[in-house]
Amino acid sequence: MNIIEASGLGRRYRRVWALRDCTLAIPAGHVVALVGPSGSGKTTLLELAVGLRVPSAGRLSVLGGVAPGSIPALSRVAFVAQDAPLYRQLSVADTLRLAGHLNDRWDHQWARQRVAELAVPFSAKLGALSSGTQAQLALTVALGRRPELLILDEPLARLDPLARHEFLAAVLEAVATDGLSVVFSSHLLAELDRVADYLVVLSEGHVQVAGEIDSLVAGHRMLVGRTDHVDLLPAGLSIVSAQRADQQTRLLARCGDDPRPAAAAGFRAEPVGVEELVLAYLRQPDATALPGPSGTTGSREVPA
Ligand SMILES: Nc1ncnc2c1ncn2[C@@H]1O[C@H](COP(=O)(O)OP(=O)(O)OP(=O)(O)O)[C@@H](O)[C@H]1O
């Protein structure tokens, strides 16, 4: 089952296309990181997936063919928008009670126990809590609905490193216990490795990279060598992007390419990290790494 499936998906705000021609099939059972520069369409894609917006073109479904925003989707998909939206005047206890009234599948006992573990007083008003605690409570309200798909828009942006760590630990615990799928958008590339096992990179409203992180990482190498030896590299290499300095050049290449010709030019092939891989693709918006036989494109030339 695909938790999110899109075909030719587009969303326009007046004359501006926030998303265009997006085709995507994310299998269930993953923690998916959705990354991309500001304005690349992350929030728009997540809002389409929860039915807060409707497509201007193409189609999108969740949980194996369910229409976003429909009754079956509302009870199975939980969404936490940016800034952990909660009623600041309400107490913690009233917030949990309200969530219980609004959700058929609400697990009140679990939610109360989690609040107790967080050591948050039930009588505290939400507005008086730190942003880390508010984020944890928004997550508690989302998880207490026992969703099959949890969608989080920039959940880490306002959190300090400790709160970030605790938030992600809570998400991973829920994944391990309940087996739910998670999609979260983030600018924080360094955190991805630890939590996500599936990556989607959006660039200028297009899906640029999609796939399991392990295979994406295994499918690439960083070629590192002397800048004045770049011209000695064989023409057949498929290079995604280049970072040149006076002395040294770093080239992200497909690992399907035989590294020996690069070694002959004095370049060594190093394993690549997720952060490096994402940055390399973002530097070269025309390059793609997508599932399917013709899913990878890169330059045969070394990009300037
Ligand atoms: N309500 C709106 N009205 C007009 N344009 C919008 C609206 N929402 C988003 N856009 C535009 O659509 C594009 C994509 O925006 P979106 O918020 O989806 O990107 P994002 O990747 O989530 O950005 P960020 O990381 O800054 O949150 C941007 O050009 C943005 O200005």
Side-chain angles (χ1 to χ4, degrees), residues 229-262:
H229 284 188
V230 167
D231 292 342
L232 304 178
L233 284 166
L237 283 176
S238 177
I239 304 294
V240 175
S241 77
Q243 273 178 287
R244 291 168 192 263
D246 283 351
Q247 302 287 320
Q248 198 187 60
T249 290
R250 297 170 66 80
L251 305 164
L252 183 77
R254 314 268 180 240
C255 142
D257 299 321
D258 183 353
R260 279 170 299 181

Side-chain angles (χ1 to χ4, degrees), residues 216-301:
L216 286 167
V217 164
H220 293 80
R221 286 287 180 272
M222 190 63 76
L223 304 180
V224 184
R226 286 177 50 170
T227 298
D228 56 0
H229 284 188
V230 167
D231 292 342
L232 304 178
L233 284 166
L237 283 176
S238 177
I239 304 294
V240 175
S241 77
Q243 273 178 287
R244 291 168 192 263
D246 283 351
Q247 302 287 320
Q248 198 187 60
T249 290
R250 297 170 66 80
L251 305 164
L252 183 77
R254 314 268 180 240
C255 142
D257 299 321
D258 183 353
R260 279 170 299 181
F267 277 69
R268 59 179 193 278
E270 298 179 348
V272 68
V274 189
E275 187 172 0
E276 230 174 357
L277 185 127
V278 171
L279 290 173
Y281 273 93
L282 291 180
R283 272 185 213 109
Q284 211 60 37
D286 292 342
T288 59
L290 300 168
S294 56
T296 34
T297 60
S299 176
R300 297 256 159 218
E301 305 294 320

Side-chain angles (χ1 to χ4, degrees), residues 12-148:
R12 198 171 56 178
Y13 299 105
R14 301 219 170 106
R15 273 191 231 144
V16 179
W17 285 90
L19 278 182
R20 194 143 206 196
D21 202 18
C22 290
T23 294
L24 199 58
I26 304 177
H30 288 289
V31 176
V32 183
L34 175 64
V35 302
S38 271
S40 56
K42 301 181 297 297
T43 297
T44 301
L45 178 60
L46 297 183
E47 290 182 348
L48 286 164
V50 293
L52 285 174
R53 302 211 180 261
V54 290
S56 313
R59 290 190 311 275
L60 178 139
S61 63
V62 293
L63 296 169
V66 177
S70 62
I71 302 280
L74 286 175
S75 64
R76 294 164 66 194
V77 180
F79 176 55
V80 181
Q82 284 182 17
D83 303 334
L86 295 164
Y87 294 103
R88 298 172 58 83
Q89 320 302 335
L90 283 190
S91 68
V92 173
D94 286 342
T95 300
L96 298 189
R97 260 194 293 277
L98 178 65
H101 286 304
L102 294 175
N103 298 289
D104 291 345
R105 289 153 62 124
W106 178 248
D107 189 339
H108 198 64
Q109 199 182 346
W110 177 87
R112 281 189 67 87
Q113 190 185 328
R114 179 145 203 279
V115 168
E117 281 163 12
L118 291 168
V120 184
F122 284 95
S123 58
K125 293 269 193 285
L126 295 186
L129 300 173
S130 71
S131 47
T133 307
Q134 286 185 30
Q136 285 282 15
L137 279 174
L139 181 65
T140 303
V141 169
L143 290 175
R145 297 176 53 204
R146 294 289 178 221
E148 290 167 53

Side-chain angles (χ1 to χ4, degrees), residues 138-188:
L139 181 65
T140 303
V141 169
L143 290 175
R145 297 176 53 204
R146 294 289 178 221
E148 290 167 53
L149 171 58
L150 173 64
I151 297 182
L152 307 162
D153 192 4
E154 292 276 359
L156 309 173
R158 293 183 313 140
L159 305 186
D160 65 48
L162 180 62
R164 234 181 262 161
H165 186 91
E166 287 170 350
F167 185 95
L168 290 174
V171 171
L172 290 182
E173 192 188 320
V175 169
T177 321
D178 294 351
L180 78 164
S181 304
V182 180
V183 179
F184 73 98
S185 67
S186 183
H187 284 292
L188 299 163

